[in-house]
Amino acid sequence: MSLAVASACAAAAAPVYAQEATAAAAAATQPEVQSVVVTGLRQSLASSMNLKRNSDGIVDGIVAEDIGKFPDTNLAESLQRISGVSIDRSIGEGSKITVRGVGPDFNLVLLNGRQMPTSNLGDLNGRAFDFANLASEAISQIQVYKTGRAETPTGGIGATVNVMTAKPFDRPGLHASIGAKGVYDTSNDNLPRDIQASNSLTPEVSGIYSNTFANNTFGVALTGSYQERNLGYNTAAVSNGWKGPYQGNAGPLYAQQNQITNAPAANALYSLPQNLNYNFNGVKRQRTNAQLTLQYKPVDTLVTTLDYTYSENKIQTKRNDISAWFNFGPSASNWTGGSPSSPLSWTEFVTGSDIAMGAADFATKTQNKSLGFNAVWKPTNTLRFELDTHHSTAESGADSPFGSSNTLGTASFSRGTTTVDFSKDFPVLSIQGADFVKAGQQVTGSVFTNSYMKGQVDQTQVKGAWKVLEASELRFGATYSKVENRSAFSNQQRDTWGGATKPSDYPSSVWHQDSIGQYFNKISGSNNAALFNQFYTFNFAQVRQLASDVSGQPALYLPKSTFDNDARTGEKSNAAYVQFNTDWDTKLPIHTSVGLRYEKTDVVSTALVPAATGISWVSQNEFPITFGSPTFTTLTGAYHHLLPSFDSDIDLTPDQKLRFSLGETIGRPRYDQIQGGQTLNSLVRTDGGTGSQGNPALKPVKSKNLDLSYEWYYGKQNFFSAGYFRKNLENYAGQSQIDATPFNLHTPVGGALWNEAISTGGCLTSDTTCIRSYIFANHPTAPGVTPPGVNGNVNGTIVGQPSDPIAHFRITSFSNQKKASLNGLELNWQHMFGNSGFGVSSNYTYVHSGLRYDNNAIGEQFALVGLSNSYNVVGIYEDKKWTARVAYNWRGEFLSSTFDGSGPNPQYVEPYGQVDVSIGWNYNEKLSFQLEGINVTNQIQRVHSRTQQQLESVTQAGPRYMIGARYKF
C-alpha cells in the first residue's frame, strides 16, 4: 500500500503532483497541500515521510500510487492504516471512521475542500459519511487534519478528512488508464439457496482520462467506475436486547417457583434475554462513480475549475431467520458468579408457542451529486484570492416494490420447552416438541417500511492570503453554508403475530427445509449436538403473494406510498476567520500559526408525526398502537462560537522536529438528535411502550485540544514519531429516557378484565395467553373485546378502554449532558531494510478516558462510544517486477452504544483483527496485474452487553478475493 502524509506547507518546495493553482482549487478551505507523484511502494513511503516532515500541524494522509490506482478499493480500508484511525465495517467492508476515540458523527468529511451531505437509511440520519459510496479509482489523495486551525471548516473533533479527486492541471498532458477486476466473495457461498446470489464472482471496471490543451490552458478529466459484489453474512443475536438489569433477589427470575442454579447474589445485578434470533442475509451491491472536471486558465494569474461528481450505491437484501421469544414465565437457569451475573443457560417451560421463521426482500438506492465551481486569482506575487461554491445532494430511498425494509413473519405453533446455552461464542437454541406436520407453517405478522432521506448542502467560501512580510502571511476568509436534511418513513404493519391465515393456505412446496449450524461453522459452539438444527426458508415474493391473495387485503402486504413521519431540519451557518503564519529566524528554527474563527448557526426543525388514538391487544405479546391523522410541529435553536487556534513546530536538529498545537473545535449534533416532533414505536408491550424525540436546541460538542509530537528522521526512508493528544469535551449530547404518557392512551394491561383473570382465573401476570383466553371466554361482549373468529378477526382483539390504566412510554431524547476528557498516544515507525526491497510500516494508538460505562449500574448512563486502542503492521516487498503487501489491522474492544433493543444497556464490540494481502506484477511499463485478499483468515465479529455471556450478536461472513489487470496509455 502506498501511504503519503498530506501536509499543510505553504512555503514548501514546488509540488510535482498538484500544482499550486490546482491545490488551491481542490481544497477550498484547507492550507495549500504538497503532494508527490509516486508509482511504487518504497518511493511512496519515502515521499510520505518527507511530507510529514514538512507539514504544518498534525496532518496524515494517503496518496494514490499512480493515476487511477489507489492503495485499497475501499477508502475506509486505506484510512485505517493511519495512526489514530479505526473503522466500522458494514457488509464486510469499511464504512465509517473513528479518529482518536471520537466517533463517526464527529469527523468531518470534505470532497475537494467542500462539506458533503450525508444520507444513510441505516443510520437514522447521523452526520457520519459512508465511504462505501465512493470508489477509490478517481481519488488522488486523502488528507487527514488532526489539529484544528482557523482556516479549517468546523465539524471535525477527531479529524477533518479531505478527499481529493484528480484534476487535469495536476499532471499536464495526456494520461489515461483502464482497469478490470473479478471479485470472488466466499461469503455468498455460505447462504441458504433462497437468498443466495447465482454467482459469487462479480466484475469491476474503471477508467480515467485526463488531458490538457492549448499550451496547458484548458484541461479535461473524466473518471468512471462500475462495481458489482454479491455477498452474505449470518448473525446469531439477542436482537431485542436484555431485560433488566434487576437486583439479584427481585425481578422476573423470582416471580414464580423457578429452578435456579447458582442464583445471582442478593447484591448482584442480572439480566434476561428477550429473544434469540438466527438470521441469514444475502446482499447484492452495484456501485457507480463518475466525475467530470473542466479547468481553464485564461491568464497565468487566474485558474477556474468546474466539476461534477456522481455516485450511486444500490443494495438488494434478502433474509431468512428463525427466532424464539421469551416471556419470563416458569423457567430453569444456570448463572455465572459475580456482578453482573449472566445466564449460562436459560430454559422456559412452554407449550404450543411459536417457532417464528421470517423473511425479507428489499432494496435501497443512495445517490450523491455535487456540482462545484472554483476560481483562484493571484493579482500580485504577494496576494491571492479564492472563490469556491457548490451545490451537493445525498438522497436515499426504496428501490423495490416491497419497500426499503420489510419482514414477513411465519410460524409453526409447536414450540415446547426452549433453552439457550450462552456458554460459548455461539448461543445454542434448543427446542422440544417441534412438529411441523401437526402444526404447519403459516404467515403471521408483517411489516413493510418505506423510508426516504435527503441531505443537501449549498455552500460558498471566499478566502485570501497576503504575504505581509518576508516570512509572514495573513490568511482570511468567510463561509456561508445552508444545510438541509429530510428524514421520512411510513410502516405498513399487520400485527397478526398469532396467525394471519391458516397453514392449509400454503402448499408444502413453498417451505424449504434447511439446517442452521453449517452457516456458523467458524464460531465456537455452533457444532453443539443440542442445537435445534432445523428451520424452513422460503421465497419472500411467492409467500407474500399467497398471503395477500388469501387475506383479500393486498394493500396490507405492500409499503405505503405516503409518509407518516416526516422530519425536516435546516441549518444556516456563517463563519469568518483570520490566521497569521510566521517563520522565526531563531537558533532553533520555529514556525507558528495563530488563528481565530467565528461560527454562527441557526437551526429550524419541522416534523410531521402521526397522532396516536388507541392501543389494541392482538396476540400474546403484541399491543399495537392505532394512529390517526399526522400533524406538523416546528422547533428552533441557535448557537455561536469563537474558536482560537495555535500551531508551532521547532527544528530541534536537522533530523528531529517537535510540534505543539492548541485549539478549540466543535462537532454538531446528529440530524436525528435535532429533529422536531415525537415518534412512538408502533408496538407496545406489557410493561409499556417506547418512542423518541429530537431537541433542536442542542448545542454542539466543544472540544479544547492539546497536541504534542516528536519526530526523528534517521534515514532517507526511515522515521519514528510519537505524539500525545488530549481533548476536553463539553456539551456532549447523549441519550436519555423520560417516562411519559403521550396522548393518554389506555392499555388493557392492569385493567379490570386483566386483574380479574389473575385474581379469579388463576393466571400468572407473565402468562398473557392465559389472561387473553380468560377474557375471551368470560367477557366476549365486553366493550373493546372482539373474540377470535368474530367479524373476520382471526386471533381476537382487546382494545384499551377509558377505565383502563394509561400506558406509560419510555421516550428517548437527547440532551447536552456531561463533560468528558480523553487523551492518547500515537506511535509511528517506518523502516526500509536497505536495498533488499523489504520494508515495514507500523503504528499504534492508545486512547483513554475516565468516562466509561458502569456495567453494575441501573438506568441511563453517559459514556464515550467508539473509544478503543488499535495498531497496524504492514510488511512490503518491491522490485522492478513484483510488489507485495501483507497488512494486519487490529482494533480493541469498544463501546458502540449505550442502548440495546430493550433499553439502557451497553453494547461492546469485541477485539477484531483482520489480515489483508495484495500482490502485483508489472508485465511491462503499461500493463500490470494484481491479486488481493481481504479478511483472508475469515475472522468473526462479536458484540456483547454487560458480560461476554450477554451476547448481543455474533456474525460470520467470509474472505474476499480479487484478481485484476490495469493498462496505462
Side-chain angles (χ1 to χ4, degrees):
M1 147 178 178
S2 94
L3 288 177
V5 180
S7 68
C9 186
V16 178
Y17 188 87
Q19 296 182 348
E20 183 183 67
T22 305
T29 59
Q30 302 300 319
E32 296 178 33
V33 176
Q34 183 185 27
S35 309
V36 177
V37 174
V38 289
T39 57
L41 285 175
R42 286 171 62 91
Q43 192 175 1
S44 172
L45 291 170
S47 299
S48 70
M49 181 188 73
N50 292 329
L51 289 171
K52 182 179 184 69
R53 186 175 188 173
N54 296 325
S55 69
D56 290 342
I58 311 298
V59 186
D60 290 316
I62 309 162
V63 171
E65 296 179 34
D66 200 355
I67 186 169
K69 186 182 179 183
F70 209 70
D72 295 270
T73 57
N74 178 280
L75 298 183
E77 299 283 351
S78 290
L79 281 168
Q80 72 174 333
R81 319 293 182 200
I82 294 175
S83 61
V85 180
S86 301
I87 66 173
D88 294 337
R89 289 180 169 83
S90 176
I91 61 173
E93 65 180 52
S95 175
K96 301 170 186 177
I97 62 170
T98 294
V99 183
R100 292 180 160 185
V102 178
D105 288 309
F106 297 110
N107 293 301
L108 180 65
V109 176
L110 312 174
L111 180 65
N112 295 323
R114 303 160 179 162
Q115 180 180 346
M116 287 293 103
T118 58
S119 181
N120 188 334
L121 297 181
D123 190 31
L124 298 178
N125 253 1
R127 294 184 187 266
F129 185 82
D130 188 351
F131 285 92
N133 290 322
L134 291 180
S136 64
E137 284 76 10
I139 307 305
S140 63
Q141 61 181 279
I142 299 179
Q143 307 155 1
V144 181
Y145 296 84
K146 296 180 178 178
T147 51
R149 305 180 71 185
E151 61 186 337
T152 304
T154 57
I157 292 179
T160 297
V161 179
N162 188 22
V163 180
M164 298 180 65
T165 56
K167 306 288 192 298
F169 284 179
D170 290 352
R171 301 182 70 189
L174 174 63
H175 302 275
S177 70
I178 58 172
K181 288 182 181 180
V183 181
Y184 181 75
D185 200 316
T186 63
S187 63
N188 181 65
D189 299 330
N190 190 38
L191 293 172
R193 287 190 177 182
D194 275 310
I195 60 174
Q196 188 179 63
S198 59
N199 200 333
S200 298
L201 182 65
T202 54
E204 290 187 5
V205 293
S206 63
I208 183 168
Y209 169 85
S210 178
N211 204 355
T212 55
F213 310 90
N215 294 322
N216 298 327
T217 61
F218 179 71
V220 178
L222 178 64
T223 63
S225 67
Y226 176 76
Q227 302 173 349
E228 292 184 6
R229 184 180 166 211
N230 297 336
L231 65 135
Y233 63 94
N234 306 314
T235 300
V238 180
S239 53
N240 286 83
W242 289 79
K243 298 295 289 186
Y246 303 100
Q247 201 66 40
N249 55 2
L253 190 60
Y254 301 94
Q256 50 267 318
Q257 295 299 317
N258 292 321
Q259 304 171 24
I260 308 173
T261 302
N262 193 30
N267 60 350
L269 298 183
Y270 73 92
S271 300
L272 300 174
Q274 182 65 84
N275 73 321
L276 183 67
N277 176 279
Y278 300 139
N279 59 83
F280 314 89
N281 304 268
V283 181
K284 296 181 179 181
R285 188 199 66 189
Q286 304 85 43
R287 182 169 64 190
T288 304
N289 278 213
Q291 185 180 61
L292 173 65
T293 303
L294 305 175
Q295 289 190 290
Y296 178 53
K297 184 167 61 174
V299 293
D300 288 341
T301 58
L302 179 64
V303 174
T304 60
T305 304
L306 180 68
D307 58 75
Y308 178 75
T309 304
Y310 174 83
S311 72
E312 179 183 82
N313 199 21
K314 302 176 72 173
I315 298 176
Q316 302 88 43
T317 303
K318 292 184 177 182
R319 182 178 68 243
N320 283 123
D321 66 35
I322 176 173
S323 62
W325 183 273
F326 298 118
N327 292 310
F328 314 123
S331 67
S333 54
N334 184 17
W335 294 82
T336 64
S339 182
S341 183
S342 303
L344 292 170
S345 65
W346 175 259
T347 299
E348 284 198 4
F349 303 107
V350 296
T351 58
S353 192
D354 60 324
I355 304 174
M357 289 165 282
D361 186 347
F362 56 88
T364 61
K365 178 172 67 175
T366 296
Q367 289 183 325
N368 294 270
K369 303 175 184 178
S370 180
L371 176 65
F373 174 77
N374 180 277
V376 177
W377 178 42
K378 296 186 66 177
T380 69
N381 290 331
T382 60
L383 196 59
R384 178 179 180 276
F385 295 100
E386 181 176 348
L387 169 69
D388 189 276
T389 186
H390 75 102
H391 169 77
S392 302
T393 60
E395 189 172 18
S396 301
D399 196 33
S400 162
F402 304 143
S404 58
S405 180
N406 52 52
T407 295
L408 183 66
T410 74
S412 166
F413 290 91
S414 62
R415 178 161 64 95
T417 297
T418 304
T419 300
V420 182
D421 182 347
F422 290 105
S423 61
K424 301 290 185 181
D425 284 346
F426 181 79
V428 178
L429 176 68
S430 303
I431 297 175
Q432 298 180 18
D435 192 332
F436 294 100
V437 176
K438 292 183 179 179
Q441 202 163 338
Q442 60 178 300
V443 169
T444 56
S446 55
V447 182
F448 291 82
T449 300
N450 183 17
S451 297
Y452 173 83
M453 293 185 183
K454 182 177 182 180
Q456 178 174 308
V457 176
D458 293 284
Q459 185 178 60
T460 298
Q461 303 176 83
V462 179
K463 56 187 288 188
W466 179 30
K467 293 184 178 180
V468 293
L469 299 170
E470 182 178 349
S472 299
E473 182 181 55
L474 177 67
R475 297 182 180 183
F476 51 90
T479 302
Y480 170 77
S481 301
K482 181 182 179 183
V483 180
E484 297 179 327
N485 197 274
R486 182 187 179 194
S487 172
F489 71 91
S490 60
N491 285 325
Q492 183 72 271
Q493 183 158 327
R494 194 173 191 201
D495 294 302
T496 50
W497 303 103
T501 51
K502 306 184 300 296
S504 58
D505 293 326
Y506 307 93
S508 60
S509 60
V510 304
W511 315 119
H512 310 140
Q513 184 174 336
D514 208 335
S515 60
I516 296 170
Q518 60 178 320
Y519 301 116
F520 298 98
N521 61 339
K522 289 288 293 182
I523 307 175
S524 170
S526 61
N527 60 350
N528 192 319
L531 174 67
F532 181 73
N533 206 24
Q534 177 184 352
F535 80 116
Y536 288 86
T537 68
F538 57 92
N539 181 287
F540 177 93
Q542 180 186 23
V543 175
R544 185 210 68 87
Q545 189 62 53
L546 288 171
S548 174
D549 294 342
V550 171
S551 71
Q553 303 179 75
L556 295 180
Y557 292 92
L558 289 171
K560 296 179 181 179
S561 58
T562 57
F563 299 119
D564 297 329
N565 299 267
D566 195 338
R568 307 178 187 196
T569 300
E571 296 173 306
K572 293 182 179 180
S573 299
N574 293 282
Y577 73 87
V578 61
Q579 182 173 303
F580 191 71
N581 300 340
T582 303
D583 290 321
W584 301 88
D585 187 13
T586 56
K587 184 176 181 181
L588 296 179
I590 301 174
H591 174 79
T592 61
S593 175
V594 181
L596 191 65
R597 185 180 184 92
Y598 175 76
E599 289 268 349
K600 182 180 184 300
T601 300
D602 295 308
V603 182
V604 177
S605 185
T606 300
L608 175 71
V609 296
T613 59
I615 296 176
S616 300
W617 188 7
V618 300
S619 64
Q620 185 181 24
N621 304 297
E622 281 76 36
F623 297 75
I625 297 174
T626 303
F627 291 101
S629 300
T631 57
F632 273 103
T633 59
T634 299
L635 299 172
T636 61
Y639 52 85
H640 61 89
H641 288 277
L642 196 61
L643 305 171
S645 62
F646 174 78
D647 286 293
S648 68
D649 59 75
I650 304 173
D651 291 332
L652 301 175
T653 69
D655 297 330
Q656 299 181 77
K657 185 183 289 288
L658 183 66
R659 301 184 192 274
F660 173 74
S661 295
L662 283 172
E664 295 184 6
T665 53
I666 60 172
R668 292 181 172 86
R670 289 166 51 94
Y671 294 120
D672 60 330
Q673 293 176 344
I674 57 176
Q675 289 175 352
Q678 185 182 88
T679 302
L680 300 182
N681 296 326
S682 59
L683 275 182
V684 179
R685 303 295 183 184
T686 56
D687 60 349
T690 57
S692 62
Q693 66 183 36
N695 179 10
L698 273 180
K699 298 177 182 179
V701 178
K702 188 173 184 179
S703 179
K704 297 179 180 179
N705 311 305
L706 167 67
D707 286 85
L708 291 170
S709 178
Y710 166 78
E711 299 161 9
W712 176 33
Y713 301 91
Y714 62 91
K716 292 182 179 180
Q717 297 177 317
N718 308 327
F719 82 96
F720 168 81
S721 70
Y724 170 81
F725 60 88
R726 182 175 179 84
K727 298 179 183 295
N728 293 322
L729 305 167
E730 60 184 29
N731 295 327
Y732 211 104
Q735 285 183 307
S736 60
Q737 283 190 341
I738 59 173
D739 185 272
T741 56
F743 304 102
N744 290 324
L745 302 176
H746 295 272
T747 173
V749 179
L753 300 182
W754 173 285
N755 292 334
E756 182 182 320
I758 295 172
S759 61
T760 305
C763 298
L764 297 173
T765 56
S766 61
D767 193 348
T768 53
T769 300
C770 175
I771 297 172
R772 279 173 58 83
S773 299
Y774 178 88
I775 293 174
F776 288 140
N778 294 277
H779 300 279
T781 61
V785 177
T786 304
V790 177
N791 299 326
N793 194 313
V794 177
N795 300 297
T797 60
I798 303 171
V799 179
Q801 298 299 300
S803 59
D804 288 333
I806 294 177
H808 285 250
F809 287 78
R810 299 181 299 278
I811 305 298
T812 300
S813 188
F814 305 92
S815 59
N816 296 116
Q817 295 184 336
K818 299 179 180 179
K819 296 181 180 180
S821 64
L822 61 87
N823 57 80
L825 180 68
E826 292 178 350
L827 301 175
N828 291 272
W829 179 56
Q830 178 179 301
H831 188 84
M832 301 296 114
F833 297 94
N835 296 319
S836 66
F838 290 96
V840 63
S841 176
S842 61
N843 60 67
Y844 173 77
T845 303
Y846 169 80
V847 186
H848 173 76
S849 173
L851 190 62
R852 294 181 177 271
Y853 200 95
D854 183 356
N855 294 326
N856 267 302
I858 297 176
E860 304 140 21
Q861 296 185 48
F862 171 70
L864 295 179
V865 299
L867 205 70
S868 66
N869 302 328
S870 63
Y871 68 84
N872 293 274
V873 179
V874 182
I876 70 167
Y877 173 79
E878 183 181 52
D879 58 28
K880 292 182 179 180
K881 284 290 186 180
W882 292 93
T883 299
R885 181 191 69 175
V886 178
Y888 180 74
N889 171 264
W890 179 87
R891 184 179 185 183
E893 181 177 286
F894 66 94
L895 178 70
S896 61
S897 177
T898 58
F899 282 77
D900 69 1
S902 285
N905 284 309
Q907 294 195 54
Y908 297 101
V909 178
E910 297 182 3
Y912 179 84
Q914 179 169 304
V915 177
D916 302 329
V917 179
S918 65
I919 300 173
W921 178 56
N922 297 321
Y923 177 76
N924 54 36
E925 291 184 355
K926 294 183 178 293
L927 181 62
S928 60
F929 298 90
Q930 303 86 37
L931 175 65
E932 300 173 65
I934 307 296
N935 188 23
V936 295
T937 55
N938 194 9
Q939 297 301 297
I940 65 171
Q941 292 181 286
R942 194 175 190 274
V943 183
H944 67 260
S945 189
R946 298 172 189 269
T947 71
Q948 286 196 333
Q949 289 76 26
Q950 290 184 18
L951 173 82
E952 292 284 350
S953 67
V954 59
T955 299
Q956 177 177 329
R960 181 167 79 254
Y961 301 99
M962 292 164 279
I963 186 170
R966 180 171 170 267
Y967 187 83
K968 294 172 57 179
F969 295 93

